[in-house]
Amino acid sequence: MNISADLEAYRKLFWDAFHRPQLKVAKYAELWQSLDLINDVLAGPFFSMYENGHIHYVFEDKERFPNINSLEDFKTWATYLINVYHDEVESLDKPATKDEEYDLHVLRFQTETKNKLLTLALNIQGEKEA
């Protein structure tokens, strides 16, 4: 793919990863709320890619991102946060009802979408830096 195709794909996916879903079961809604900090932290750089087509500010803002000096650092950081998100989603007991299955599916979808966004962001930013 090229940058414009990757960015178009990225923009189509973005809101699926970060919108507040209409969850049916309280324990999944509470879990999503507890993961809001991860969503907030990731949403800044991910929204910068959505809005500006790059994440340059992450490398420049040493107060908020003191250990991110390269695209590889960003990848490590974002992957770690997405993995924590994933592990928390998977930490609940096996769904016992159709509503719980639905909610788990939604949260898994958001996790997968965050991973797709990360891959696209790395491709886009990498091309810009090449």
Side-chain angles (χ1 to χ4, degrees), residues 67-109:
N67 299 316
I68 301 177
N69 300 304
S70 68
L71 195 53
E72 190 61 33
D73 292 344
F74 176 76
K75 177 183 177 183
T76 299
W77 172 82
T79 299
Y80 171 76
L81 290 175
I82 293 168
N83 285 340
V84 170
Y85 192 97
H86 168 269
D87 291 350
E88 289 298 315
V89 167
E90 297 300 327
S91 72
L92 293 179
D93 293 336
K94 184 177 177 182
T97 67
K98 291 288 182 194
D99 285 347
E100 287 183 0
E101 286 177 14
Y102 171 84
D103 286 356
L104 179 59
H105 172 76
V106 168
L107 294 178
R108 284 177 172 164
F109 174 75

Side-chain angles (χ1 to χ4, degrees), residues 9-126:
Y10 185 96
R11 287 177 173 153
K12 285 180 182 178
L13 288 174
F14 178 82
W15 295 110
D16 287 340
F18 291 101
H19 78 279
R20 181 180 189 91
Q22 294 294 325
L23 299 171
K24 298 177 179 186
V25 178
K27 74 176 181 179
Y28 285 93
E30 290 166 8
L31 174 63
W32 190 89
Q33 187 65 38
S34 75
L35 296 171
D36 200 33
L37 181 59
I38 292 174
N39 274 327
D40 284 349
V41 171
L42 287 171
F46 281 49
F47 186 73
S48 178
M49 180 61 71
Y50 174 87
E51 188 77 6
N52 305 310
H54 61 77
I55 56 168
H56 296 306
Y57 90 96
V58 172
F59 308 116
E60 298 164 359
D61 187 341
K62 294 303 170 199
E63 186 173 319
R64 288 193 300 183
F65 305 101
N67 299 316
I68 301 177
N69 300 304
S70 68
L71 195 53
E72 190 61 33
D73 292 344
F74 176 76
K75 177 183 177 183
T76 299
W77 172 82
T79 299
Y80 171 76
L81 290 175
I82 293 168
N83 285 340
V84 170
Y85 192 97
H86 168 269
D87 291 350
E88 289 298 315
V89 167
E90 297 300 327
S91 72
L92 293 179
D93 293 336
K94 184 177 177 182
T97 67
K98 291 288 182 194
D99 285 347
E100 287 183 0
E101 286 177 14
Y102 171 84
D103 286 356
L104 179 59
H105 172 76
V106 168
L107 294 178
R108 284 177 172 164
F109 174 75
Q110 285 195 326
T111 305
E112 292 167 18
T113 304
K114 285 173 177 61
N115 275 314
K116 289 177 185 176
L117 289 174
L118 176 59
T119 298
L120 288 166
L122 293 170
N123 291 343
I124 296 163
Q125 189 68 35

